Amino acid sequence: MKQLPGTVPGGAGDTAGIRRSLSLHGPLRRTPHRLLRAMLDALPEDGLPEDPVAELERRMCALLGTEAALLFPTGTMAQQVALRIHADRRGRRAFAAHPQTHLEVWEEQGYAVVHGLRFRPVGDRHRLLETADLAGVAEPLAALLLELPQRDVGGRLPAWDDLLAQVSWARGHGAAVHLDGARLWEAQPFYGRPHAEIAALFDTVYVSLYKGLEGIRGAILASDARTVGEAAVWRQRLGGALDDAWPLAAAALVGLDTVAPRMSAFRDHAVAIAAALREDGAVHVVPDPPQTPLFHVHVPAGPEATEAAAREILREHGVQLYLRLRTAPHDGQCSFEVCVGENAMEFTPDEVAALLRELVHRARGTYPLQL
């Protein structure tokens, strides 16, 4: 498994013995049989739409308020294509984004190797990107990429007025504005505005079909008809025009109907879990309270000891606490991500607090707990 710099793999991510998972993408709800059954149960009795891909693209246009939408096999391809189009139109090769943007951390610099683009990191890698950070950007940009929410700083979101200011800054400097909306579904309850109102701020919008929607795979790139037409050409060039993409679209349609409407409930449960963790005091939550269903848990123990403790909890309780553990700059600390979805809804806040208290005590060698 590829690891984010500053993370460690381990037994806590193994699937053997898992009966419950706190992770959004734990294996319990993502086995082929479960996914196929969920699709069959949710789809109309008379079967799939005649063209699930066309139906998905139509619904995404309506939801995001755009002229056109295009299915891509991956968000990696969709975002690189969007930035390539903005760069070619403006004759500029640089784009700006937060230092922990997905394009830099996860994609082997595909923006540069494949498309000849240059990344200009903006802001502190451990903090939310702020409007003031943009003042240090002197070179002309093809695009400003904004991620809503910023996953790697705990799912944080800028206030609406700050978001407007960042978009205005880009427009004033001749740059396009692209939305990394992989988790736009999770972000929308924070703003309390329709998805289309958020999307209208941007020239191009990418949304994931499998993260918050808990689908199979795939992404949508939405924009005006001309831009989506150019994107279709690039999708063909890059081998992303799949003739048999209907399972991706069908799973996404199920997610739109059954999972997307629950985002506010997921966010509220995340807030409740964070409150229980705060009261318990064994770990630290960032941000507190969570702004989305996603937040980070900071553990006062080293990564190796925490991994060993998580394996013990998995072996004894059948509970998977996380998929990936992140190291920290200081010894004796680490963190992991919680993103509340269907899996996490099965845990009460007090139960999560008890499990994480046990994790810390096991990692510190003070288990069993002293009553």
Side-chain angles (χ1 to χ4, degrees), residues 19 26 92 108 113 130 138 157 161 172 175 182 223 232 269 288 300 307:
R19 297 193 298 273
R92 302 173 178 181
E108 300 288 355
V113 176
E130 298 178 350
L157 286 159
D161 287 347
S223 186
H269 198 56
D288 190 8
E307 270 291 302

Side-chain angles (χ1 to χ4, degrees), residues 226-263:
R226 175 194 169 204
T227 298
V228 169
E230 291 182 38
V233 174
W234 274 107
R235 185 184 66 173
Q236 182 70 31
R237 287 170 175 163
L238 297 172
L242 306 179
D243 291 333
D244 55 353
W246 68 263
L248 309 185
L253 289 168
V254 172
L256 282 177
D257 289 335
T258 64
V259 182
R262 301 195 66 200
M263 286 300 159

Side-chain angles (χ1 to χ4, degrees), residues 20-295:
R20 303 169 71 199
S21 177
L22 190 61
S23 170
L24 174 67
H25 292 304
L28 299 179
R29 295 186 178 274
R30 295 184 63 77
T31 64
H33 285 85
R34 284 180 178 269
L35 286 169
L36 288 170
R37 287 193 187 102
M39 290 166 62
L40 289 172
D41 289 344
L43 290 168
E45 290 186 5
D46 56 353
L48 291 168
E50 184 174 342
D51 185 347
V53 173
E55 174 68 9
L56 174 65
E57 292 173 346
R58 182 195 66 77
R59 286 190 58 180
M60 285 293 182
C61 286
L63 186 64
L64 300 174
T66 59
E67 288 183 349
L70 187 67
L71 175 66
F72 276 80
T74 68
T76 295
M77 185 185 294
Q79 297 212 93
Q80 290 182 18
V81 164
L83 294 175
R84 173 66 183 259
I85 291 171
H86 295 316
D88 287 350
R89 285 181 180 176
R90 290 163 178 77
R92 302 173 178 181
R93 308 316 295 173
F95 71 95
H98 189 270
Q100 296 203 65
T101 177
H102 192 282
L103 282 84
E104 175 67 9
V105 175
W106 287 103
E107 300 178 16
E108 300 288 355
Q109 288 73 53
Y111 60 83
V113 176
V114 179
H115 301 285
L117 304 180
R118 187 171 67 258
F119 171 47
R120 170 62 162 86
V122 179
D124 188 311
R125 66 180 290 104
H126 300 297
R127 296 174 54 196
L128 185 72
L129 175 63
E130 298 178 350
T131 307
D133 297 323
L134 297 171
V137 180
E139 64 181 312
L141 298 175
L144 171 65
L145 181 153
L146 298 175
E147 180 187 5
L148 300 179
Q150 286 186 222
R151 175 190 183 185
D152 288 317
V153 293
R156 296 178 190 265
L157 286 159
W160 184 254
D161 287 347
D162 292 336
L163 180 58
L164 294 178
Q166 292 173 31
V167 170
S168 177
W169 180 93
R171 300 258 190 263
H173 288 77
V177 193
H178 172 71
L179 172 60
D180 178 347
R183 295 168 178 81
L184 178 61
W185 322 114
E186 290 94 325
Q188 185 271 333
F190 173 81
Y191 292 118
R193 299 168 184 269
H195 295 88
E197 186 175 352
I198 302 171
L201 301 178
F202 299 87
D203 296 285
T204 47
V205 175
Y206 146 64
V207 293
S208 173
L209 302 180
Y210 78 93
K211 292 184 171 71
L213 294 185
E214 302 189 35
I216 298 174
R217 188 63 52 181
I220 286 287
L221 184 65
S223 186
D224 60 89
R226 175 194 169 204
T227 298
V228 169
E230 291 182 38
V233 174
W234 274 107
R235 185 184 66 173
Q236 182 70 31
R237 287 170 175 163
L238 297 172
L242 306 179
D243 291 333
D244 55 353
W246 68 263
L248 309 185
L253 289 168
V254 172
L256 282 177
D257 289 335
T258 64
V259 182
R262 301 195 66 200
M263 286 300 159
S264 292
F266 294 159
R267 190 272 315 274
D268 292 347
H269 198 56
V271 171
I273 291 174
L277 296 178
R278 183 193 319 117
E279 183 176 353
D280 181 81
V283 297
H284 178 62
V285 172
V286 175
D288 190 8
Q291 296 173 306
T292 71
L294 187 154
F295 61 91

Side-chain angles (χ1 to χ4, degrees), residues 302-313:
E304 292 79 10
T306 301
E307 270 291 302
R311 284 194 293 268
E312 291 175 1
I313 289 174

